Amino acid sequence: MAIESTLETFDIASGARRMVFRAPYHFEAPNWSRDGKYFLFNSEGRLYRIGRGGGGEPERIDTWPLYKLNNDHGLSPGGSLIAVSDQSDPDGQSRIHVLHSDGRSARLAIEKAPSYWHSWSPDGLTLAYVAARGGGDLGIYTAPAAGGAERRLTHGPGLDDGPDYSADGQFIYFNSMRSGNMKLWRMRADGSAPEQLTFEDETRDWFPHPSPDGRWIVFVSFGSDVAVADHPPGKNVMLRLMRAAGGAARTIAKLFGGQGTINVPSWSPDGKEFAFVSYRV
């Protein structure tokens, strides 16, 4: 099946979509660099960089010995480090590594598996990620980025996913099926005081990303034809926007995508735009 992938940006004020890069192959999960000059994305187990204006071919970042990266990766608040989720180990399970932004000096940050990175804390000291331990459901964990003991923040049955810190570090936004449907929630950064944010029966809501200015949450919604615990590729989905404090969400774009469209934080540094990937078969 031939796939065409398109990296786009969305301007919050104008509602304009701008194409940055299009290619006749599959790529996923854009991050916007902290200086606003380029994007990162993954394709076929490798990480690539392309300038904000597009043009030319993406530059592959040499992450060896990591060569089976999945679509959970992102730059540290200072932009000098990248956290990646990689499945190069013989058991094929995802583990989290931290490396320099040019790909050098990869080190294992979260040894236990499976673990999937999702967010840096605003001070750059903590990683938030999704993991399964002892054969249980995927839940949300944090651990020091420099290494140390992990802490589980969610404990209920069913899937919790997509943790992303608020700009002030006080909250972690995430998606959870604890209500019986996949909806957005937030909790204190220590895991306390969980609060449901979206409630519609007809959508499955995934991957909330708070803007750097603290005003907005952007996320992706699947239709009710998708299983509650699934976020597959190749679906008609909606990108939606809501106030960070909660309230009604509005649809700002409809596209063919799903898995890989907006899995990871992708806001511009000024909070005026975000990046995403759409697909065409």
Side-chain angles (χ1 to χ4, degrees), residues 43-271:
S43 181
E44 296 186 345
R46 300 301 182 98
L47 201 60
Y48 292 83
R49 176 170 40 224
I50 192 168
R52 175 176 180 165
E57 288 300 310
E59 172 193 1
R60 192 174 82 182
I61 298 173
D62 184 5
T63 59
W64 187 262
L66 309 179
Y67 62 94
K68 290 186 179 178
L69 305 179
N70 56 46
N71 56 26
D72 299 313
H73 48 75
L75 288 150
S76 63
S80 63
L81 301 173
I82 308 173
V84 299
S85 305
D86 176 76
Q87 297 168 238
S88 300
D89 284 348
D91 63 8
Q93 294 204 73
S94 179
R95 291 175 171 84
I96 299 172
H97 295 71
V98 171
L99 47 140
H100 289 284
S101 58
D102 61 3
R104 295 181 298 109
S105 305
R107 62 174 176 83
L108 185 60
I110 309 296
E111 183 176 359
K112 294 180 180 180
S115 300
Y116 304 91
W117 178 88
H118 277 275
S119 182
W120 291 84
S121 61
D123 60 10
L125 298 179
T126 306
L127 304 176
Y129 55 99
V130 175
R133 302 290 182 252
D137 292 323
L138 286 168
I140 296 171
Y141 291 72
T142 59
E150 65 182 15
R151 178 182 184 182
R152 183 166 185 173
L153 301 187
T154 61
H155 299 273
L159 174 66
D160 299 311
D161 203 348
D164 198 352
Y165 278 94
S166 62
D168 60 9
Q170 294 188 32
F171 295 97
I172 292 176
Y173 290 80
F174 64 105
N175 54 276
S176 174
M177 59 182 291
R178 63 186 65 188
S179 68
N181 194 1
M182 189 60 76
K183 296 285 107 181
L184 301 191
W185 291 69
R186 74 173 183 179
M187 59 186 168
R188 292 286 179 180
D190 63 2
S192 65
E195 173 189 7
Q196 188 172 348
L197 299 178
T198 60
F199 299 89
E200 302 93 332
D201 293 333
E202 64 273 14
T203 61
R204 321 291 196 210
D205 303 331
W206 286 79
F207 303 132
H209 299 304
S211 61
D213 59 12
R215 299 179 62 194
W216 302 104
I217 304 294
V218 66
F219 60 100
V220 62
S221 289
F222 295 79
S224 57
D225 59 317
V226 172
V228 170
D230 199 9
H231 56 292
K235 291 291 183 178
N236 292 315
V237 298
M238 298 175 289
L239 294 178
R240 303 174 74 199
L241 192 71
M242 66 185 297
R243 293 284 181 180
R250 61 185 175 94
T251 299
I252 55 175
K254 295 181 178 180
L255 54 100
F256 187 71
Q259 172 74 289
T261 288
I262 193 169
N263 297 56
V264 292
S266 61
W267 282 95
S268 62
D270 59 10

